[in-house]
mmCIF file of all heavy atoms in Angstrom:
data_model
loop_
_atom_site.group_PDB
_atom_site.id
_atom_site.type_symbol
_atom_site.label_atom_id
_atom_site.label_comp_id
_atom_site.label_asym_id
_atom_site.label_seq_id
_atom_site.Cartn_x
_atom_site.Cartn_y
_atom_site.Cartn_z
ATOM 1 N N GLN N 231 29.683 -17.959 -1.928
ATOM 2 C CA GLN N 231 30.686 -16.968 -1.520
ATOM 3 C C GLN N 231 30.108 -15.551 -1.538
ATOM 4 O O GLN N 231 30.315 -14.751 -0.618
ATOM 5 C CB GLN N 231 31.899 -17.045 -2.442
ATOM 6 C CG GLN N 231 33.004 -16.062 -2.098
ATOM 7 C CD GLN N 231 33.514 -16.234 -0.671
ATOM 8 O OE1 GLN N 231 33.841 -17.352 -0.255
ATOM 9 N NE2 GLN N 231 33.550 -15.138 0.095
ATOM 10 N N ALA N 232 29.347 -15.262 -2.584
ATOM 11 C CA ALA N 232 28.772 -13.913 -2.707
ATOM 12 C C ALA N 232 27.792 -13.624 -1.571
ATOM 13 O O ALA N 232 27.817 -12.541 -0.968
ATOM 14 C CB ALA N 232 28.070 -13.763 -4.059
ATOM 15 N N PHE N 233 26.949 -14.583 -1.278
ATOM 16 C CA PHE N 233 25.969 -14.365 -0.199
ATOM 17 C C PHE N 233 26.683 -14.196 1.149
ATOM 18 O O PHE N 233 26.267 -13.385 1.985
ATOM 19 C CB PHE N 233 24.974 -15.528 -0.126
ATOM 20 C CG PHE N 233 24.027 -15.606 -1.307
ATOM 21 C CD1 PHE N 233 23.565 -16.829 -1.767
ATOM 22 C CD2 PHE N 233 23.589 -14.451 -1.941
ATOM 23 C CE1 PHE N 233 22.691 -16.910 -2.844
ATOM 24 C CE2 PHE N 233 22.715 -14.520 -3.033
ATOM 25 C CZ PHE N 233 22.258 -15.746 -3.484
ATOM 26 N N GLN N 234 27.748 -14.960 1.353
ATOM 27 C CA GLN N 234 28.489 -14.826 2.602
ATOM 28 C C GLN N 234 29.122 -13.443 2.708
ATOM 29 O O GLN N 234 29.073 -12.796 3.752
ATOM 30 C CB GLN N 234 29.561 -15.928 2.694
ATOM 31 C CG GLN N 234 30.350 -15.923 3.993
ATOM 32 C CD GLN N 234 29.461 -16.048 5.236
ATOM 33 O OE1 GLN N 234 28.429 -16.724 5.203
ATOM 34 N NE2 GLN N 234 29.854 -15.384 6.310
ATOM 35 N N THR N 235 29.666 -12.977 1.603
ATOM 36 C CA THR N 235 30.249 -11.629 1.590
ATOM 37 C C THR N 235 29.178 -10.588 1.892
ATOM 38 O O THR N 235 29.412 -9.621 2.634
ATOM 39 C CB THR N 235 30.889 -11.335 0.217
ATOM 40 O OG1 THR N 235 31.860 -12.356 -0.052
ATOM 41 C CG2 THR N 235 31.544 -9.963 0.184
ATOM 42 N N MET N 236 28.008 -10.787 1.325
ATOM 43 C CA MET N 236 26.911 -9.832 1.559
ATOM 44 C C MET N 236 26.562 -9.746 3.042
ATOM 45 O O MET N 236 26.299 -8.661 3.575
ATOM 46 C CB MET N 236 25.665 -10.249 0.762
ATOM 47 C CG MET N 236 25.833 -10.105 -0.738
ATOM 48 S SD MET N 236 24.430 -10.771 -1.654
ATOM 49 C CE MET N 236 23.232 -9.449 -1.492
ATOM 50 N N VAL N 237 26.540 -10.880 3.697
ATOM 51 C CA VAL N 237 26.203 -10.892 5.126
ATOM 52 C C VAL N 237 27.291 -10.181 5.933
ATOM 53 O O VAL N 237 27.011 -9.500 6.925
ATOM 54 C CB VAL N 237 26.019 -12.350 5.609
ATOM 55 C CG1 VAL N 237 25.968 -12.425 7.116
ATOM 56 C CG2 VAL N 237 24.749 -12.928 5.004
ATOM 57 N N GLU N 238 28.519 -10.324 5.484
ATOM 58 C CA GLU N 238 29.628 -9.733 6.246
ATOM 59 C C GLU N 238 29.713 -8.216 6.079
ATOM 60 O O GLU N 238 30.313 -7.531 6.916
ATOM 61 C CB GLU N 238 30.948 -10.397 5.822
ATOM 62 C CG GLU N 238 31.037 -11.847 6.315
ATOM 63 C CD GLU N 238 32.145 -12.642 5.627
ATOM 64 O OE1 GLU N 238 32.885 -12.035 4.809
ATOM 65 O OE2 GLU N 238 32.242 -13.848 5.884
ATOM 66 N N ILE N 239 29.128 -7.696 5.023
ATOM 67 C CA ILE N 239 29.154 -6.232 4.824
ATOM 68 C C ILE N 239 28.197 -5.578 5.808
ATOM 69 O O ILE N 239 27.002 -5.871 5.818
ATOM 70 C CB ILE N 239 28.781 -5.888 3.364
ATOM 71 C CG1 ILE N 239 29.925 -6.317 2.445
ATOM 72 C CG2 ILE N 239 28.494 -4.391 3.215
ATOM 73 C CD1 ILE N 239 29.605 -6.246 0.978
ATOM 74 N N GLN N 240 28.721 -4.719 6.637
ATOM 75 C CA GLN N 240 27.931 -4.167 7.741
ATOM 76 C C GLN N 240 27.867 -2.648 7.754
ATOM 77 O O GLN N 240 27.357 -2.058 8.713
ATOM 78 C CB GLN N 240 28.523 -4.650 9.079
ATOM 79 C CG GLN N 240 28.374 -6.138 9.341
ATOM 80 C CD GLN N 240 26.915 -6.543 9.566
ATOM 81 O OE1 GLN N 240 26.169 -5.842 10.215
ATOM 82 N NE2 GLN N 240 26.512 -7.683 9.002
ATOM 83 N N ASP N 241 28.365 -2.016 6.702
ATOM 84 C CA ASP N 241 28.391 -0.548 6.749
ATOM 85 C C ASP N 241 27.412 0.115 5.791
ATOM 86 O O ASP N 241 27.203 1.330 5.861
ATOM 87 C CB ASP N 241 29.813 -0.041 6.468
ATOM 88 C CG ASP N 241 30.316 -0.454 5.099
ATOM 89 O OD1 ASP N 241 29.772 -1.448 4.541
ATOM 90 O OD2 ASP N 241 31.232 0.193 4.573
ATOM 91 N N LYS N 242 26.828 -0.669 4.895
ATOM 92 C CA LYS N 242 25.892 -0.074 3.938
ATOM 93 C C LYS N 242 25.062 -1.196 3.313
ATOM 94 O O LYS N 242 25.416 -2.384 3.459
ATOM 95 C CB LYS N 242 26.634 0.722 2.857
ATOM 96 C CG LYS N 242 27.678 -0.068 2.094
ATOM 97 C CD LYS N 242 28.195 0.703 0.888
ATOM 98 C CE LYS N 242 29.348 1.617 1.220
ATOM 99 N NZ LYS N 242 30.000 2.165 0.001
ATOM 100 N N PRO N 243 24.005 -0.851 2.618
ATOM 101 C CA PRO N 243 23.241 -1.912 1.941
ATOM 102 C C PRO N 243 24.071 -2.517 0.821
ATOM 103 O O PRO N 243 24.974 -1.869 0.274
ATOM 104 C CB PRO N 243 22.016 -1.188 1.398
ATOM 105 C CG PRO N 243 22.402 0.250 1.310
ATOM 106 C CD PRO N 243 23.405 0.483 2.400
ATOM 107 N N VAL N 244 23.764 -3.741 0.483
ATOM 108 C CA VAL N 244 24.561 -4.441 -0.524
ATOM 109 C C VAL N 244 23.636 -5.097 -1.542
ATOM 110 O O VAL N 244 22.576 -5.617 -1.197
ATOM 111 C CB VAL N 244 25.500 -5.478 0.145
ATOM 112 C CG1 VAL N 244 24.738 -6.443 1.022
ATOM 113 C CG2 VAL N 244 26.319 -6.237 -0.885
ATOM 114 N N VAL N 245 24.071 -5.034 -2.790
ATOM 115 C CA VAL N 245 23.316 -5.681 -3.861
ATOM 116 C C VAL N 245 24.225 -6.655 -4.593
ATOM 117 O O VAL N 245 25.395 -6.342 -4.873
ATOM 118 C CB VAL N 245 22.710 -4.644 -4.836
ATOM 119 C CG1 VAL N 245 23.781 -3.757 -5.464
ATOM 120 C CG2 VAL N 245 21.885 -5.326 -5.928
ATOM 121 N N LEU N 246 23.691 -7.821 -4.871
ATOM 122 C CA LEU N 246 24.390 -8.791 -5.710
ATOM 123 C C LEU N 246 23.755 -8.775 -7.093
ATOM 124 O O LEU N 246 22.548 -9.013 -7.226
ATOM 125 C CB LEU N 246 24.275 -10.199 -5.115
ATOM 126 C CG LEU N 246 24.764 -11.333 -6.032
ATOM 127 C CD1 LEU N 246 26.273 -11.251 -6.262
ATOM 128 C CD2 LEU N 246 24.391 -12.703 -5.465
ATOM 129 N N ILE N 247 24.556 -8.455 -8.079
ATOM 130 C CA ILE N 247 24.088 -8.594 -9.460
ATOM 131 C C ILE N 247 24.445 -10.012 -9.888
ATOM 132 O O ILE N 247 25.609 -10.315 -10.164
ATOM 133 C CB ILE N 247 24.727 -7.539 -10.379
ATOM 134 C CG1 ILE N 247 24.347 -6.135 -9.896
ATOM 135 C CG2 ILE N 247 24.288 -7.745 -11.820
ATOM 136 C CD1 ILE N 247 25.052 -5.005 -10.624
ATOM 137 N N ALA N 248 23.444 -10.866 -9.869
ATOM 138 C CA ALA N 248 23.663 -12.273 -10.202
ATOM 139 C C ALA N 248 23.372 -12.465 -11.694
ATOM 140 O O ALA N 248 22.211 -12.353 -12.121
ATOM 141 C CB ALA N 248 22.758 -13.157 -9.349
ATOM 142 N N ASN N 249 24.415 -12.707 -12.441
ATOM 143 C CA ASN N 249 24.228 -12.839 -13.889
ATOM 144 C C ASN N 249 23.664 -14.215 -14.213
ATOM 145 O O ASN N 249 24.302 -15.234 -13.974
ATOM 146 C CB ASN N 249 25.569 -12.611 -14.593
ATOM 147 C CG ASN N 249 26.068 -11.193 -14.369
ATOM 148 O OD1 ASN N 249 25.308 -10.232 -14.531
ATOM 149 N ND2 ASN N 249 27.320 -11.049 -13.970
ATOM 150 N N THR N 250 22.461 -14.203 -14.717
ATOM 151 C CA THR N 250 21.739 -15.456 -14.942
ATOM 152 C C THR N 250 21.335 -15.584 -16.403
ATOM 153 O O THR N 250 21.518 -14.663 -17.201
ATOM 154 C CB THR N 250 20.476 -15.509 -14.065
ATOM 155 O OG1 THR N 250 19.666 -14.365 -14.363
ATOM 156 C CG2 THR N 250 20.825 -15.518 -12.581
ATOM 157 N N ILE N 251 20.777 -16.731 -16.708
ATOM 158 C CA ILE N 251 20.298 -16.998 -18.072
ATOM 159 C C ILE N 251 18.802 -17.258 -18.003
ATOM 160 O O ILE N 251 18.350 -18.138 -17.250
ATOM 161 C CB ILE N 251 21.030 -18.222 -18.663
ATOM 162 C CG1 ILE N 251 22.518 -17.900 -18.815
ATOM 163 C CG2 ILE N 251 20.413 -18.632 -19.997
ATOM 164 C CD1 ILE N 251 23.378 -19.108 -19.130
ATOM 165 N N LYS N 252 18.071 -16.489 -18.772
ATOM 166 C CA LYS N 252 16.623 -16.657 -18.773
ATOM 167 C C LYS N 252 16.293 -18.009 -19.410
ATOM 168 O O LYS N 252 16.683 -18.285 -20.542
ATOM 169 C CB LYS N 252 15.960 -15.508 -19.557
ATOM 170 C CG LYS N 252 14.480 -15.365 -19.280
ATOM 171 C CD LYS N 252 13.997 -13.962 -19.581
ATOM 172 C CE LYS N 252 12.533 -13.815 -19.193
ATOM 173 N NZ LYS N 252 12.093 -12.428 -19.226
ATOM 174 N N GLY N 253 15.601 -18.848 -18.649
ATOM 175 C CA GLY N 253 15.284 -20.181 -19.148
ATOM 176 C C GLY N 253 16.388 -21.192 -18.905
ATOM 177 O O GLY N 253 16.408 -22.255 -19.538
ATOM 178 N N LYS N 254 17.280 -20.875 -17.989
ATOM 179 C CA LYS N 254 18.469 -21.706 -17.745
ATOM 180 C C LYS N 254 18.120 -23.200 -17.614
ATOM 181 O O LYS N 254 17.244 -23.588 -16.837
ATOM 182 C CB LYS N 254 19.143 -21.236 -16.455
ATOM 183 C CG LYS N 254 20.259 -22.123 -15.935
ATOM 184 C CD LYS N 254 21.475 -22.072 -16.829
ATOM 185 C CE LYS N 254 22.611 -22.907 -16.238
ATOM 186 N NZ LYS N 254 23.776 -22.986 -17.134
ATOM 187 N N GLY N 255 18.813 -23.991 -18.419
ATOM 188 C CA GLY N 255 18.667 -25.445 -18.327
ATOM 189 C C GLY N 255 17.945 -26.062 -19.500
ATOM 190 O O GLY N 255 18.022 -27.275 -19.698
ATOM 191 N N VAL N 256 17.246 -25.238 -20.275
ATOM 192 C CA VAL N 256 16.515 -25.764 -21.436
ATOM 193 C C VAL N 256 16.891 -24.921 -22.654
ATOM 194 O O VAL N 256 16.458 -23.773 -22.776
ATOM 195 C CB VAL N 256 14.989 -25.708 -21.224
ATOM 196 C CG1 VAL N 256 14.277 -26.318 -22.425
ATOM 197 C CG2 VAL N 256 14.590 -26.405 -19.935
ATOM 198 N N PRO N 257 17.704 -25.462 -23.553
ATOM 199 C CA PRO N 257 18.159 -24.663 -24.703
ATOM 200 C C PRO N 257 17.030 -24.026 -25.499
ATOM 201 O O PRO N 257 17.149 -22.870 -25.923
ATOM 202 C CB PRO N 257 18.921 -25.700 -25.555
ATOM 203 C CG PRO N 257 19.416 -26.697 -24.539
ATOM 204 C CD PRO N 257 18.346 -26.786 -23.498
ATOM 205 N N LEU N 258 15.937 -24.748 -25.666
ATOM 206 C CA LEU N 258 14.815 -24.201 -26.425
ATOM 207 C C LEU N 258 14.325 -22.885 -25.798
ATOM 208 O O LEU N 258 14.002 -21.920 -26.490
ATOM 209 C CB LEU N 258 13.655 -25.221 -26.445
ATOM 210 C CG LEU N 258 12.376 -24.781 -27.138
ATOM 211 C CD1 LEU N 258 12.570 -24.683 -28.649
ATOM 212 C CD2 LEU N 258 11.227 -25.743 -26.822
ATOM 213 N N ILE N 259 14.278 -22.870 -24.488
ATOM 214 C CA ILE N 259 13.793 -21.675 -23.779
ATOM 215 C C ILE N 259 14.883 -20.604 -23.737
ATOM 216 O O ILE N 259 14.618 -19.413 -23.936
ATOM 217 C CB ILE N 259 13.338 -22.054 -22.352
ATOM 218 C CG1 ILE N 259 12.221 -23.104 -22.435
ATOM 219 C CG2 ILE N 259 12.876 -20.826 -21.589
ATOM 220 C CD1 ILE N 259 11.760 -23.638 -21.093
ATOM 221 N N GLU N 260 16.107 -21.032 -23.527
ATOM 222 C CA GLU N 260 17.212 -20.067 -23.478
ATOM 223 C C GLU N 260 17.334 -19.292 -24.785
ATOM 224 O O GLU N 260 17.681 -18.111 -24.787
ATOM 225 C CB GLU N 260 18.533 -20.793 -23.185
ATOM 226 C CG GLU N 260 18.635 -21.358 -21.777
ATOM 227 C CD GLU N 260 19.977 -22.046 -21.532
ATOM 228 O OE1 GLU N 260 20.936 -21.766 -22.294
ATOM 229 O OE2 GLU N 260 20.066 -22.860 -20.598
ATOM 230 N N LYS N 261 17.027 -19.997 -25.897
ATOM 231 C CA LYS N 261 17.171 -19.348 -27.208
ATOM 232 C C LYS N 261 16.037 -18.370 -27.489
ATOM 233 O O LYS N 261 16.149 -17.540 -28.391
ATOM 234 C CB LYS N 261 17.186 -20.422 -28.313
ATOM 235 C CG LYS N 261 18.504 -21.157 -28.431
ATOM 236 C CD LYS N 261 18.366 -22.246 -29.494
ATOM 237 C CE LYS N 261 19.416 -23.318 -29.306
ATOM 238 N NZ LYS N 261 19.046 -24.590 -29.950
ATOM 239 N N SER N 262 14.936 -18.499 -26.787
ATOM 240 C CA SER N 262 13.767 -17.644 -27.069
ATOM 241 C C SER N 262 13.260 -16.982 -25.790
ATOM 242 O O SER N 262 12.132 -17.244 -25.342
ATOM 243 C CB SER N 262 12.635 -18.478 -27.690
ATOM 244 O OG SER N 262 13.088 -19.176 -28.820
ATOM 245 N N PRO N 263 14.090 -16.151 -25.186
ATOM 246 C CA PRO N 263 13.693 -15.578 -23.884
ATOM 247 C C PRO N 263 12.434 -14.723 -23.961
ATOM 248 O O PRO N 263 11.677 -14.659 -23.009
ATOM 249 C CB PRO N 263 14.915 -14.731 -23.491
ATOM 250 C CG PRO N 263 15.646 -14.480 -24.758
ATOM 251 C CD PRO N 263 15.409 -15.672 -25.626
ATOM 252 N N LYS N 264 12.228 -14.091 -25.101
ATOM 253 C CA LYS N 264 11.036 -13.248 -25.222
ATOM 254 C C LYS N 264 9.776 -14.116 -25.282
ATOM 255 O O LYS N 264 8.787 -13.856 -24.593
ATOM 256 C CB LYS N 264 11.169 -12.397 -26.491
ATOM 257 C CG LYS N 264 10.152 -11.299 -26.618
ATOM 258 C CD LYS N 264 10.600 -10.356 -27.731
ATOM 259 C CE LYS N 264 9.482 -9.446 -28.164
ATOM 260 N NZ LYS N 264 9.910 -8.516 -29.211
ATOM 261 N N GLN N 265 9.855 -15.166 -26.081
ATOM 262 C CA GLN N 265 8.705 -16.057 -26.208
ATOM 263 C C GLN N 265 8.364 -16.726 -24.881
ATOM 264 O O GLN N 265 7.199 -16.926 -24.543
ATOM 265 C CB GLN N 265 9.007 -17.124 -27.269
ATOM 266 C CG GLN N 265 7.889 -18.129 -27.477
ATOM 267 C CD GLN N 265 8.315 -19.298 -28.359
ATOM 268 O OE1 GLN N 265 9.389 -19.267 -28.980
ATOM 269 N NE2 GLN N 265 7.488 -20.325 -28.409
ATOM 270 N N PHE N 266 9.406 -17.063 -24.119
ATOM 271 C CA PHE N 266 9.178 -17.837 -22.902
ATOM 272 C C PHE N 266 9.172 -16.972 -21.637
ATOM 273 O O PHE N 266 9.256 -17.494 -20.533
ATOM 274 C CB PHE N 266 10.231 -18.951 -22.766
ATOM 275 C CG PHE N 266 9.906 -20.138 -23.621
ATOM 276 C CD1 PHE N 266 10.438 -20.256 -24.895
ATOM 277 C CD2 PHE N 266 9.041 -21.123 -23.154
ATOM 278 C CE1 PHE N 266 10.131 -21.355 -25.697
ATOM 279 C CE2 PHE N 266 8.730 -22.213 -23.939
ATOM 280 C CZ PHE N 266 9.276 -22.338 -25.221
ATOM 281 N N HIS N 267 9.076 -15.656 -21.827
ATOM 282 C CA HIS N 267 8.905 -14.833 -20.617
ATOM 283 C C HIS N 267 7.655 -15.327 -19.879
ATOM 284 O O HIS N 267 7.678 -15.614 -18.690
ATOM 285 C CB HIS N 267 8.770 -13.351 -20.978
ATOM 286 C CG HIS N 267 8.441 -12.499 -19.802
ATOM 287 N ND1 HIS N 267 9.405 -12.023 -18.953
ATOM 288 C CD2 HIS N 267 7.244 -12.069 -19.295
ATOM 289 C CE1 HIS N 267 8.830 -11.328 -17.978
ATOM 290 N NE2 HIS N 267 7.512 -11.347 -18.161
ATOM 291 N N CYS N 268 6.576 -15.416 -20.606
ATOM 292 C CA CYS N 268 5.347 -16.019 -20.062
ATOM 293 C C CYS N 268 4.690 -16.733 -21.230
ATOM 294 O O CYS N 268 4.276 -16.094 -22.195
ATOM 295 C CB CYS N 268 4.430 -14.951 -19.482
ATOM 296 S SG CYS N 268 2.983 -15.637 -18.656
ATOM 297 N N ASN N 269 4.628 -18.046 -21.144
ATOM 298 C CA ASN N 269 4.245 -18.795 -22.331
ATOM 299 C C ASN N 269 3.473 -20.048 -21.964
ATOM 300 O O ASN N 269 3.563 -20.565 -20.854
ATOM 301 C CB ASN N 269 5.511 -19.174 -23.120
ATOM 302 C CG ASN N 269 5.199 -19.598 -24.538
ATOM 303 O OD1 ASN N 269 4.186 -19.204 -25.096
ATOM 304 N ND2 ASN N 269 6.066 -20.409 -25.118
ATOM 305 N N GLN N 270 2.719 -20.510 -22.949
ATOM 306 C CA GLN N 270 2.013 -21.790 -22.831
ATOM 307 C C GLN N 270 2.509 -22.685 -23.958
ATOM 308 O O GLN N 270 2.653 -22.222 -25.093
ATOM 309 C CB GLN N 270 0.506 -21.552 -22.979
ATOM 310 C CG GLN N 270 -0.337 -22.788 -22.782
ATOM 311 C CD GLN N 270 -1.834 -22.469 -22.835
ATOM 312 O OE1 GLN N 270 -2.234 -21.375 -23.223
ATOM 313 N NE2 GLN N 270 -2.650 -23.425 -22.444
ATOM 314 N N VAL N 271 2.796 -23.948 -23.662
ATOM 315 C CA VAL N 271 3.332 -24.827 -24.699
ATOM 316 C C VAL N 271 2.361 -25.976 -24.947
ATOM 317 O O VAL N 271 1.575 -26.342 -24.068
ATOM 318 C CB VAL N 271 4.717 -25.392 -24.296
ATOM 319 C CG1 VAL N 271 5.725 -24.273 -24.129
ATOM 320 C CG2 VAL N 271 4.635 -26.257 -23.048
ATOM 321 N N ASP N 272 2.424 -26.538 -26.166
ATOM 322 C CA ASP N 272 1.581 -27.712 -26.437
ATOM 323 C C ASP N 272 2.346 -28.983 -26.050
ATOM 324 O O ASP N 272 3.506 -28.926 -25.624
ATOM 325 C CB ASP N 272 1.119 -27.726 -27.898
ATOM 326 C CG ASP N 272 2.282 -27.778 -28.881
ATOM 327 O OD1 ASP N 272 3.374 -28.277 -28.499
ATOM 328 O OD2 ASP N 272 2.113 -27.317 -30.023
ATOM 329 N N GLN N 273 1.706 -30.104 -26.260
ATOM 330 C CA GLN N 273 2.299 -31.358 -25.785
ATOM 331 C C GLN N 273 3.626 -31.655 -26.481
ATOM 332 O O GLN N 273 4.584 -32.120 -25.847
ATOM 333 C CB GLN N 273 1.315 -32.507 -26.011
ATOM 334 C CG GLN N 273 1.786 -33.799 -25.357
ATOM 335 C CD GLN N 273 0.742 -34.895 -25.425
ATOM 336 O OE1 GLN N 273 -0.364 -34.689 -25.880
ATOM 337 N NE2 GLN N 273 1.119 -36.077 -24.955
ATOM 338 N N ASP N 274 3.692 -31.387 -27.774
ATOM 339 C CA ASP N 274 4.932 -31.654 -28.509
ATOM 340 C C ASP N 274 6.077 -30.780 -27.974
ATOM 341 O O ASP N 274 7.206 -31.247 -27.787
ATOM 342 C CB ASP N 274 4.734 -31.376 -30.001
ATOM 343 C CG ASP N 274 3.838 -32.433 -30.639
ATOM 344 O OD1 ASP N 274 3.655 -33.505 -30.011
ATOM 345 O OD2 ASP N 274 3.305 -32.170 -31.741
ATOM 346 N N GLU N 275 5.758 -29.511 -27.767
ATOM 347 C CA GLU N 275 6.803 -28.613 -27.242
ATOM 348 C C GLU N 275 7.241 -29.042 -25.843
ATOM 349 O O GLU N 275 8.425 -29.012 -25.508
ATOM 350 C CB GLU N 275 6.281 -27.168 -27.192
ATOM 351 C CG GLU N 275 6.182 -26.494 -28.546
ATOM 352 C CD GLU N 275 5.515 -25.128 -28.453
ATOM 353 O OE1 GLU N 275 4.385 -25.061 -27.912
ATOM 354 O OE2 GLU N 275 6.114 -24.145 -28.914
ATOM 355 N N HIS N 276 6.262 -29.458 -25.062
ATOM 356 C CA HIS N 276 6.603 -29.883 -23.709
ATOM 357 C C HIS N 276 7.498 -31.123 -23.749
ATOM 358 O O HIS N 276 8.481 -31.222 -22.992
ATOM 359 C CB HIS N 276 5.331 -30.183 -22.913
ATOM 360 C CG HIS N 276 5.614 -30.679 -21.523
ATOM 361 N ND1 HIS N 276 6.258 -29.920 -20.573
ATOM 362 C CD2 HIS N 276 5.377 -31.896 -20.939
ATOM 363 C CE1 HIS N 276 6.389 -30.626 -19.462
ATOM 364 N NE2 HIS N 276 5.876 -31.829 -19.664
#
Side-chain angles (χ1 to χ4, degrees):
Chain N
Q231 180 58 50
F233 291 148
Q234 183 57 34
T235 304
M236 292 174 79
V237 168
E238 289 165 3
I239 289 171
Q240 292 292 320
D241 61 338
K242 56 170 87 169
V244 55
V245 58
L246 170 67
I247 299 173
N249 296 312
T250 57
I251 295 169
K252 197 157 184 169
K254 171 69 177 175
V256 182
L258 177 70
I259 301 176
E260 291 181 19
K261 283 177 201 159
S262 306
K264 191 167 165 179
Q265 179 190 349
F266 280 94
H267 174 84
C268 186
N269 196 25
Q270 184 176 12
V271 298
D272 60 25
Q273 188 173 355
D274 289 343
E275 286 174 306
H276 178 63

